[in-house]
Amino acid sequence: MPETTTLCGLRRELTKDLFEELAALQCTTEEILGYIGTTEKKLESWCRKTYRRPLEVMIPMIRKDGLIAIRRASFDQLKKSATIISQQYNRFVPQACADPREETENAIRLLTAAVTPSPEAMRELYGEGEEE
């Protein structure tokens, strides 16, 4: 691993830890540039020295750490709150208790209704029939 490098910006210094923290917080490249006070060219160069990879590869990779941290925090909250557990259960597992036979029968009813219009619908479509 290369030695730790610091990028000196107009506002503050960028270290590897700070860069990873900002990216994990879902900061965009532009936000990081503004926070440090540097140019994209300098940040790109620093990223290649530090990670041996381009900036456009590292930012999305490190941002995944933040998404995982958000998910971990959500699971921690789930352990503490029955209300949140219920909400998440209903959100992610709504079909767990559903009877598949009931869904199939409902789909058949809807299809039958669509291909067999009511007498009122037939009159609307074709009008009153003429008698001979």
Side-chain angles (χ1 to χ4, degrees):
M1 194 85 188
E3 62 189 59
T4 303
T5 57
T6 302
L7 174 62
C8 295
L10 296 173
R11 300 189 64 221
R12 50 186 61 87
E13 293 182 345
L14 180 67
T15 62
K16 183 178 177 184
D17 289 339
L18 179 58
F19 176 74
E20 290 182 3
E21 179 186 335
L22 293 172
L25 287 171
Q26 307 303 301
C27 293
T28 64
T29 302
E30 292 77 25
E31 291 170 332
I32 294 171
L33 294 173
Y35 186 75
I36 302 304
T38 190
T39 65
E40 189 166 358
K41 185 177 177 181
K42 288 180 182 178
L43 183 59
E44 174 69 35
S45 175
W46 176 85
C47 192
R48 285 186 180 274
K49 282 182 203 169
T50 305
Y51 294 100
R52 298 179 191 237
R53 300 274 185 278
L55 182 62
E56 61 269 4
V57 169
M58 292 310 299
I59 289 275
M61 188 184 305
I62 298 170
R63 289 183 84 194
K64 301 294 185 219
D65 293 351
L67 295 175
I68 290 168
I70 291 168
R71 193 169 290 135
R72 282 188 177 137
S74 296
F75 277 106
D76 288 343
Q77 288 300 311
L78 280 173
K79 293 174 189 175
K80 299 173 186 174
S81 171
T83 304
I84 294 175
I85 290 172
S86 176
Q87 289 171 350
Q88 294 302 314
Y89 180 83
N90 290 333
R91 178 177 171 205
F92 291 111
V93 196
Q95 295 83 15
C97 297
D99 181 11
R101 192 173 41 185
E102 183 180 317
E103 289 180 27
T104 304
E105 289 172 0
N106 190 32
I108 291 171
R109 270 189 232 103
L110 291 172
L111 179 64
T112 304
V115 297
T116 317
S118 67
E120 293 84 24
M122 292 295 285
R123 277 193 287 280
E124 283 182 29
L125 288 172
Y126 299 107
E128 291 293 324
E130 292 183 22
E131 295 185 28
E132 294 180 25

